[in-house]
Amino acid sequence: MAARVVARGYCCLMFLEPTPETGQLFAQRGLDGPVTMLNLLRFRDQADYRTYPELAPPTPITGREAYDRYAEHTRPFLEEAGGRVAFLGKGGFYLIGPTGERWDMVMMVEYGNVAAFMGMAENQAYRAGLGHRSAALEDSRLLPIEPVGA
């Protein structure tokens, strides 16, 4: 879902979840074989659990701490789907890209195929912990990528 935010005199769109349109475009790509999800993540200073009060900790935590809770919740579902975190790194500002735009974390998650990714994404037990991700993130990008040439 995109949200328009105006800050420091400029406007930008922020994205936290897929839309029906982006889901349709993803399906239309017809990816066959391994797929890697490139994640760019920007954390909130303080996690926002207003939409998911049932998941909120007793005292405020940072967005990064909330994302760590999401990652811990997600790990068994990722492993069950045959996926793995192939890369996890600290982000920063672009060398080539929009001035002032930064990402706190960059992550690449590999899946054997789209069906494995979708199976995990549709698992209700996995979805029960998505509120930690929503509470953690100020903005994100998720780009499905596939190997070239093989």
Side-chain angles (χ1 to χ4, degrees):
M1 173 183 294
R4 186 172 296 277
V5 176
V6 177
R8 290 185 233 126
Y10 66 92
C11 180
C12 59
L13 290 178
M14 298 189 165
F15 301 87
L16 297 178
E17 58 190 62
T19 65
E21 295 80 14
T22 61
Q24 183 177 14
L25 290 170
F26 175 59
Q28 289 173 350
R29 284 182 65 181
L31 299 174
D32 185 30
V35 63
T36 299
M37 296 297 188
L38 171 63
N39 294 259
L40 301 177
L41 308 168
R42 184 175 315 125
F43 301 117
R44 297 175 192 271
D45 290 333
Q46 182 174 319
D48 180 359
Y49 280 98
R50 287 179 293 181
T51 306
Y52 299 93
E54 70 281 5
L55 295 176
T59 58
I61 61 174
T62 66
R64 175 60 197 257
E65 290 169 322
Y67 196 85
D68 288 345
R69 289 174 182 225
Y70 166 72
E72 185 65 28
H73 170 81
T74 300
R75 184 173 293 113
F77 301 103
L78 178 62
E79 291 171 356
E80 183 180 308
R84 72 179 191 95
V85 175
F87 178 84
L88 182 65
K90 184 178 178 181
F93 292 96
Y94 286 113
L95 179 58
I96 299 174
T99 303
E101 186 175 296
R102 67 158 173 77
W103 298 102
D104 298 318
M105 181 184 286
V106 177
M107 180 170 51
M108 296 179 76
V109 182
E110 295 177 345
Y111 296 88
N113 53 50
V114 171
F117 168 75
M118 293 304 296
M120 186 187 99
E122 294 169 357
N123 181 311
Q124 291 305 309
Y126 158 74
R127 296 184 65 73
L130 280 174
H132 290 299
R133 183 182 185 281
S134 296
L137 296 177
E138 179 179 295
D139 197 5
S140 68
R141 301 292 184 274
L142 181 61
L143 177 64
I145 55 179
E146 62 183 321
V148 176

